[in-house]
Amino acid sequence: MRKTLTLFIFSFGLMTILPAQDIHAAPERNQNRMLYTRAQAMERMGRTKEAIDIYTRLVTANPTNRIYYLRLAGLLRRLKQFDEYLKIIDLRLKVDPGDINLRLEKAGVLYSLDQENQAKMLWNSILNTGPPSNVLYTRVANSQLLAGAVDDALR
């Protein structure tokens, strides 16, 4: 009985430790994880240029990875690097052109870049993509408020 219990504990320990160490992960995945950790460290040290460069590499290589994208988007938004932010959004939209969240972000960035007409056209196209919905109208209005288009949001 004791031997069985010891074997069970040892097996359970291996099952929880080995996946955490990710010894079966592909080399590319491990390299991406190391780059991500490095980018986070650069960010914490205030070396945002290096962090942005690493996050950009990660997002370009893995455009579907939302975690990499969100870290990069947050930095670019905070530093008001809207041209770069728009490029990253467009990269992600190539992968998923129907993503309403990305399209709302893009409209907000366009508005911040003083491309108000394009932003308004995008907001209107989002509203016209499906049946009228209070939730969709609210999301567009929130996007407009965040971008500073208060008059448009109130309409």
Side-chain angles (χ1 to χ4, degrees):
M1 176 74 174
R2 184 179 175 131
K3 189 175 186 180
T4 306
L5 182 60
T6 304
L7 184 60
F8 173 77
I9 292 172
F10 178 74
S11 299
F12 183 77
L14 280 179
M15 288 188 311
T16 57
I17 292 171
L18 291 179
Q21 293 176 349
D22 211 4
I23 62 173
H24 299 294
E28 180 182 328
R29 186 170 167 205
N30 282 337
Q31 182 179 3
N32 288 343
R33 188 170 286 152
M34 287 187 319
L35 282 172
Y36 179 69
T37 303
R38 183 171 181 204
Q40 287 178 309
M42 294 292 133
E43 202 176 338
R44 281 191 297 271
M45 291 188 297
R47 296 168 59 182
T48 53
K49 173 71 174 120
E50 291 99 332
I52 287 173
D53 290 343
I54 295 170
Y55 286 134
T56 302
R57 278 181 37 205
L58 288 168
V59 169
T60 303
N62 308 284
T64 59
N65 189 310
R66 189 148 175 83
I67 294 171
Y68 300 157
Y69 166 75
L70 290 173
R71 295 300 291 213
L72 177 59
L75 272 178
L76 294 173
R77 189 179 322 112
R78 192 169 356 128
L79 298 173
K80 299 187 186 313
Q81 295 183 9
F82 296 118
D83 289 324
E84 291 301 314
Y85 190 14
L86 190 58
K87 289 177 190 174
I88 297 300
I89 291 172
D90 285 337
L91 176 68
R92 294 256 325 184
L93 280 171
K94 286 179 186 174
V95 176
D96 188 5
D99 187 330
I100 290 177
N101 292 325
L102 285 173
R103 293 174 66 207
L104 288 170
E105 281 184 58
K106 181 175 181 173
V109 171
L110 287 169
Y111 195 87
S112 298
L113 288 169
D114 293 325
Q115 298 177 20
E116 294 179 20
N117 289 335
Q118 287 179 315
K120 289 177 183 179
M121 286 175 31
L122 186 53
W123 281 318
N124 287 331
S125 75
I126 292 168
L127 288 173
N128 294 327
T129 56
S133 162
N134 289 339
V135 173
L136 189 57
Y137 281 109
T138 302
R139 291 179 68 192
V140 170
N142 282 337
S143 173
Q144 291 170 329
L145 285 172
L146 290 172
V150 178
D151 292 338
D152 293 317
L154 294 175
R155 281 186 224 145

